[in-house]
Amino acid sequence: MADNVIEFQIEGDASGAQKAFGKLDGVLGGVTKVLGSLGGAFSAFEFGKFIANQIEVADQMGKMALTSGVAVEAFSQMSHAFALSDVSAEELAGGFKFLNKAIDEAKQGNAAAQKSFESIGISMKNLKSDSPDEVMLKLADAFTQIEVPAARNTMLLEKFGRAGLKLAPAMEEGRAGIEKLMKQADALGLTVDKEFAASADRFGDSMQTVRAAAEGAGRQIGKALLPILQETIDTLFTFGGTAEES
């Protein structure tokens, strides 16, 4: 049987890694204290999964805020406010996407779109200067002033598309109610700021690179082992065939 040797070599200055592990050790020391204070509610493994999930949430918040045209701080706070009405962050982002389309149509001179906004007290000046989340808050106040249920639903569908009807319970709270819940999100530490979102995005990319490196190593190991495995299988079948013939 041919000799097959698999070699892996890691080169580089380890000082940076040592510093990073030193910082991590300090953080983990604090985590240990937190776990102790939680009375064993989290195992270390569960806590690790929980933190990894929160980093992923921050990454996704950043991406959804970008597609929504909303600052990630405001989007993460709003996602909490609407989540209490069973609206997911993805559905909120979908609503913003449709709202931005309606705003763009009005800005481009679509008379029907302009009239639709102006009829509920939102001027072209507002649309040109306000961020999408500010427009949504104005729409929430306008929503509370509409008495006819069918007209309420029409407004939601026109401004937010199919996701609009699901936004109704949160919109009923008006601007003040939504802003109150946004402040609650901040008080609870749920606000994802720009720096956190960017760091989470970089971390996600780095983890993807790590996974790709692991897959690459696995493929190279498989490539090196394949001749050995094939030779072993061939030998077993040959032995089996000889044994049957005898």
Side-chain angles (χ1 to χ4, degrees), residues 228-241:
I228 302 173
L229 295 173
Q230 187 63 57
E231 186 174 348
T232 301
I233 291 172
D234 291 344
T235 300
L236 288 173
F237 273 101
T238 300
F239 177 79

Side-chain angles (χ1 to χ4, degrees), residues 75-146:
F75 185 85
S76 60
Q77 292 168 0
M78 273 193 164
S79 70
H80 168 69
F82 280 85
L84 295 177
S85 296
D86 296 323
V87 178
S88 69
E90 290 79 9
E91 289 169 328
L92 179 61
F96 270 120
K97 182 178 180 180
F98 202 94
L99 175 60
N100 287 330
K101 181 181 178 182
I103 292 172
D104 286 341
E105 288 177 351
K107 287 180 178 179
Q108 291 169 10
N110 184 304
Q114 291 176 356
K115 185 177 180 180
S116 177
F117 279 107
E118 290 170 350
S119 66
I120 52 177
I122 299 177
S123 67
M124 282 303 300
K125 182 179 179 181
N126 295 141
L127 296 179
K128 290 178 180 179
S129 62
D130 293 343
S131 62
D133 50 298
E134 175 61 24
V135 174
M136 177 177 273
L137 291 172
K138 283 184 168 69
L139 286 172
D141 267 348
F143 181 80
T144 63
Q145 300 302 312
I146 301 174

Side-chain angles (χ1 to χ4, degrees), residues 61-80:
M61 284 287 176
K63 288 178 170 63
M64 287 186 283
L66 184 63
T67 60
S68 300
V70 178
V72 66
E73 291 85 354
F75 185 85
S76 60
Q77 292 168 0
M78 273 193 164
S79 70
H80 168 69

Side-chain angles (χ1 to χ4, degrees), residues 10 43 52 57 62 77 92 101 128-130 153 168 171 195 221:
I10 300 175
S43 68
V57 167
Q77 292 168 0
L92 179 61
K101 181 181 178 182
K128 290 178 180 179
S129 62
D130 293 343
N153 290 341
M171 297 293 277
E195 182 181 0
I221 292 172

Side-chain angles (χ1 to χ4, degrees), residues 172-236:
E172 285 180 352
E173 299 295 324
R175 181 190 192 107
I178 294 174
E179 287 186 328
K180 180 180 179 181
L181 292 174
M182 291 174 70
K183 290 178 181 178
Q184 182 186 76
D186 196 46
L188 292 172
L190 296 174
T191 300
V192 175
D193 60 27
K194 186 176 180 180
E195 182 181 0
F196 183 20
S199 296
D201 181 44
R202 287 195 299 273
F203 181 77
D205 291 343
S206 297
M207 288 304 297
Q208 181 59 41
T209 300
V210 170
R211 286 190 288 269
E215 290 178 3
R219 291 178 190 179
Q220 293 306 310
I221 292 172
K223 179 180 179 181
L225 289 178
L226 185 57
I228 302 173
L229 295 173
Q230 187 63 57
E231 186 174 348
T232 301
I233 291 172
D234 291 344
T235 300
L236 288 173

